[in-house]
Amino acid sequence: MWNLHKCKNIFIDFDGVIVDSNKFKEKAIEKSILKLFGNNKKSKEAVNYFNANAGISRKEKLSKFYNEKNVLEIIKIYSNECDNFFSTATPTEGLVSFLEYIQLTNKNIKVYILSGGEKNEINLFLKQNNLLQFFEDILSSEQSKLDHMKEKKVSENDIFIGDSKNDLKTSLQSRINFILFEGYKSLESFPSKTFIKKNNLIRTENFRTLLDTFIK
């Protein structure tokens, strides 16, 4: 495990890491698209692409298949589903203990949420669970994850905790440490075994198992 004293920033993905929402979102986008356009080849392709590319903004993914008007119609239905879900969702196992540990032992580390999701949905979840005080900022869909990383001028000692192939790609492009979160993964967007093996990743089930690794 890396030396946390050299780390300045920790970036944590939201869906499937901070909250167990991957399966919900996969069903919600399917429901939203089929409600408007029915069960056809284009709908299936759009749903599959959406779910296979976790970490990219919903608008960008949907725009590959639909015009702007239709994208906004889908997003309206999908966002309402997400708002209802996040208003009652709770954090994944060990998250609070992990954040408290970082705050107590490494006060100079800035912790960010880095997500392809919408800021208002993430903010709602954090408020509902009294977590806002742990995070420096919510870096969300207004930019790509890579662009957010560039703006923060990340270094090789920084850490990104994510659960998708796109998260892993972002960490490789940014040249920072990556921890693969597995306990709440989506089979649609999870990195392949070959990709994982090639990059010799640190893997963890949840924040409790990750905290055990840091404390050792």
Side-chain angles (χ1 to χ4, degrees):
M1 178 55 68
W2 313 289
N3 186 347
L4 278 179
H5 297 296
K6 293 182 180 181
C7 175
K8 294 181 180 179
N9 303 292
I10 294 177
F11 301 91
I12 307 177
D13 181 43
F14 185 65
D15 293 301
V17 180
I18 286 176
V19 60
D20 183 9
S21 54
N22 281 327
K23 292 181 178 63
F24 158 77
K25 283 196 165 183
E26 289 172 359
K27 292 178 181 177
I29 193 60
E30 181 177 19
K31 178 180 177 181
S32 302
I33 291 174
L34 296 189
K35 183 175 183 179
L36 289 171
F37 304 108
N39 190 356
N40 52 59
K41 183 180 178 182
K42 184 177 179 180
S43 294
K44 290 177 181 178
E45 288 176 349
V47 170
N48 290 339
Y49 182 83
F50 191 100
N51 291 334
N53 286 279
I56 299 174
S57 76
R58 60 194 64 169
K59 186 174 183 180
E60 181 180 343
K61 290 186 285 189
L62 291 171
S63 294
K64 291 186 177 293
F65 298 89
Y66 301 101
N67 62 37
E68 186 174 0
K69 179 177 179 292
N70 290 340
V71 167
L72 293 176
E73 289 172 339
I74 297 168
I75 287 176
K76 183 177 181 180
I77 298 171
Y78 180 67
S79 295
N80 285 336
E81 295 280 333
C82 290
D83 285 343
N84 290 334
F85 176 83
F86 289 123
S87 66
T88 58
T90 55
T92 54
E93 184 178 353
L95 173 68
V96 175
S97 296
F98 176 79
L99 293 172
E100 288 175 342
Y101 173 79
I102 296 298
Q103 197 173 71
L104 180 65
T105 61
N106 296 273
K107 293 181 179 179
N108 293 327
I109 293 179
K110 294 179 180 179
V111 182
Y112 297 91
I113 290 178
L114 182 63
S115 172
E118 298 299 300
K119 193 166 189 173
N120 62 314
E121 293 170 3
I122 297 170
N123 194 60
L124 170 65
F125 173 84
L126 296 181
K127 283 184 176 179
Q128 288 287 112
N129 291 280
N130 299 311
L131 295 171
L132 278 171
Q133 73 272 19
F134 292 109
F135 297 98
E136 186 74 17
D137 199 1
I138 300 168
L139 309 177
S140 55
S141 62
E142 69 274 7
Q143 289 190 122
S144 71
K145 291 185 177 183
L146 183 59
D147 285 339
H148 279 305
M149 292 273 199
K150 288 177 179 177
E151 276 198 356
K152 295 304 175 186
K153 299 179 179 178
V154 295
S155 73
E156 62 182 9
N157 295 309
D158 292 340
I159 297 170
F160 182 21
I161 304 171
D163 71 325
S164 72
K165 58 190 175 189
N166 283 320
D167 290 340
L168 176 52
K169 288 176 183 177
T170 298
S171 72
L172 293 172
Q173 289 171 314
S174 303
R175 298 182 180 180
I176 69 172
N177 299 306
F178 185 73
I179 297 172
L180 183 62
F181 216 76
E182 299 186 306
Y184 312 92
K185 66 186 178 185
S186 161
L187 296 178
E188 301 293 328
S189 60
F190 198 66
S192 67
K193 291 181 179 179
T194 302
F195 200 9
I196 293 171
K197 186 176 181 180
K198 179 180 177 182
N199 291 283
N200 192 28
L201 301 178
I202 287 181
R203 304 163 70 175
T204 189
E205 281 294 304
N206 53 53
F207 283 103
R208 191 161 304 285
T209 55
L210 180 58
L211 186 57
D212 289 343
T213 304
F214 274 115
I215 292 175
K216 284 179 182 177

